[in-house]
Amino acid sequence: MGIEINEMAGADSTSSQSEGSTQDDFVYNVYVEEGESVTLTGDWDNSLDRDGQTGNGDGQYTVMSGLPSFGSFSLSSTDGAMSWSFTYDDLVANGGTTQQVVFTVQGQHDYGGIDTDTVTVNITCFVTGTRISTPQGDRKVEDLRIGDSVTTADGREVAIRWIGRQHIDNNVFLPQTQCPVVISAGALGQGLPNRDLYLSADHAMVLDGLMITAGALVNDSTIRFVHRADMPRAFTYFHIETEAHDVVLANGAASETYVDERDRANFDNYAEYVALYGDARTITEIDMPRISTARLVPAVIQHRLATPIAA
């Protein structure tokens, strides 16, 4: 005798059924973006009665421990129907945008048998809306268009010449080099970036007069590769190209614009570039040393990045 979830659903969830290790262990993996609302549902049934027949779902259900402390949660005590709704803002106000919530549900069969199921909800905020500084204020990179102006780190206004887009499917064939790097808010010092910054491993940040790729900055603490299990099913990289190789502000932190002409053909909208400008052009890099491997990152920078971020 026991209780089992016979249906699971949730916005942006990779779990349509149990991913747990046992029949009493259920997992939702949920990805939340800024401004989004999420609803998770579950429906328990009594699994077997004394004669080995499927139960009718009626019984007595209750949350024994770990009752979610934010959002709107409900569990029907008679038929086992569960619903939990929360927003991105709820997460920010109640512990942050990456959380694991674990609660247990106990059900009593009509014949008196009792069973307990554990539900784990892994919540990850995967931010696609990197903020780029512009004369009009910070704007999401996906909202920018060719011809819009962005503000460089030294205060100039430059026009966007092109925006490369690369759609990435999250599957078992995705190499580590294509997984995003996340730079935690404040990891670079002086409160920068001002929110978690996700970018490709070969995209460079500017620190102490050096161009250092995000992959070379990884310290597995404040700066890390995002594991496949923590990513949505698909995501998009955006690369802004200006007339010259410039330094713009992404989530407040100095970051390079697009420079490597050899990779343009890898973008999904490369045909747009060819239609606008013809053959690819070479962009002269800023006269600044580029570091692409962790062992060449100066010790003083490594130490600063490894320093715990003040709460």
Side-chain angles (χ1 to χ4, degrees):
M1 290 178 291
I3 60 170
E4 302 300 341
I5 292 181
N6 63 26
E7 182 178 351
M8 299 174 67
D12 295 326
S13 175
T14 62
S15 300
S16 59
Q17 58 186 355
S18 171
E19 289 187 351
S21 58
T22 72
Q23 64 177 2
D24 294 327
D25 180 14
F26 300 91
V27 179
Y28 295 81
N29 292 317
V30 184
Y31 306 99
V32 188
E33 294 184 10
E34 186 172 1
E36 186 176 24
S37 298
V38 173
T39 297
L40 306 178
T41 60
D43 188 7
W44 272 271
D45 272 344
N46 292 311
S47 57
L48 295 174
D49 62 23
R50 284 181 176 173
D51 299 322
Q53 301 300 314
T54 301
N56 60 11
D58 294 334
Q60 298 177 29
Y61 302 87
T62 185
V63 177
M64 299 300 295
S65 64
L67 180 69
S69 61
F70 58 88
S72 177
F73 181 90
S74 65
L75 174 69
S76 171
S77 61
T78 56
D79 65 14
M82 180 205 80
S83 177
W84 182 23
S85 298
F86 56 87
T87 67
Y88 174 93
D89 290 340
D90 289 333
L91 292 174
V92 172
N94 292 273
T97 55
T98 299
Q99 297 190 41
Q100 182 181 80
V101 178
V102 181
F103 60 94
T104 58
V105 174
Q106 185 178 89
Q108 181 172 340
H109 196 276
D110 291 337
Y111 292 109
I114 296 176
D115 191 22
T116 302
D117 286 352
T118 299
V119 178
T120 301
V121 183
N122 298 310
I123 305 171
T124 301
C125 175
F126 197 89
V127 181
T128 57
T130 299
R131 269 59 171 177
I132 304 298
S133 293
T134 77
Q136 293 76 40
D138 290 351
R139 296 178 59 188
K140 293 182 179 181
V141 66
E142 62 266 33
D143 292 339
L144 295 173
R145 298 291 183 267
I146 293 173
D148 287 347
S149 292
V150 294
T151 304
T152 63
D154 59 4
R156 293 177 293 113
E157 294 183 18
V158 297
I160 295 174
R161 197 171 189 269
W162 187 60
I163 302 174
R165 299 188 305 273
Q166 186 177 25
H167 177 91
I168 303 292
D169 289 316
N170 179 10
N171 55 48
V172 295
F173 303 107
L174 181 67
Q176 180 70 47
T177 54
Q178 284 194 312
C179 290
V181 171
V182 56
I183 302 176
S184 300
L188 303 180
Q190 299 181 329
L192 298 174
N194 52 33
R195 63 179 66 207
D196 290 354
L197 175 62
Y198 293 81
L199 66 170
S200 58
D202 59 356
H203 198 101
M205 306 299 294
V206 178
L207 295 170
D208 297 355
L210 301 172
M211 286 269 184
I212 309 178
T213 62
L217 293 173
V218 168
N219 59 16
D220 295 325
S221 175
T222 58
I223 304 173
R224 59 182 176 81
F225 277 102
V226 181
H227 191 275
R228 281 190 53 248
D230 295 329
M231 294 190 297
R233 289 181 289 269
F235 57 95
T236 302
Y237 285 127
F238 295 86
H239 287 266
I240 294 173
E241 180 174 329
T242 55
E243 185 63 32
H245 186 208
D246 283 306
V247 179
V248 295
L249 300 177
N251 291 357
S255 176
E256 70 174 340
T257 57
Y258 181 78
V259 66
D260 193 347
E261 78 283 350
R262 294 172 298 175
D263 291 337
R264 279 200 192 91
N266 292 333
F267 289 104
D268 300 337
N269 58 331
Y270 176 63
E272 174 191 56
Y273 182 91
V274 174
L276 288 170
Y277 304 114
D279 293 336
R281 68 188 181 109
T282 299
I283 302 175
T284 302
E285 285 196 54
I286 293 175
D287 186 15
M288 187 180 298
R290 176 178 288 267
I291 296 176
S292 301
T293 181
R295 63 184 177 83
L296 296 180
V297 177
V300 63
I301 294 180
Q302 292 185 22
H303 176 75
R304 186 169 79 232
L305 299 181
T307 301
I309 302 170

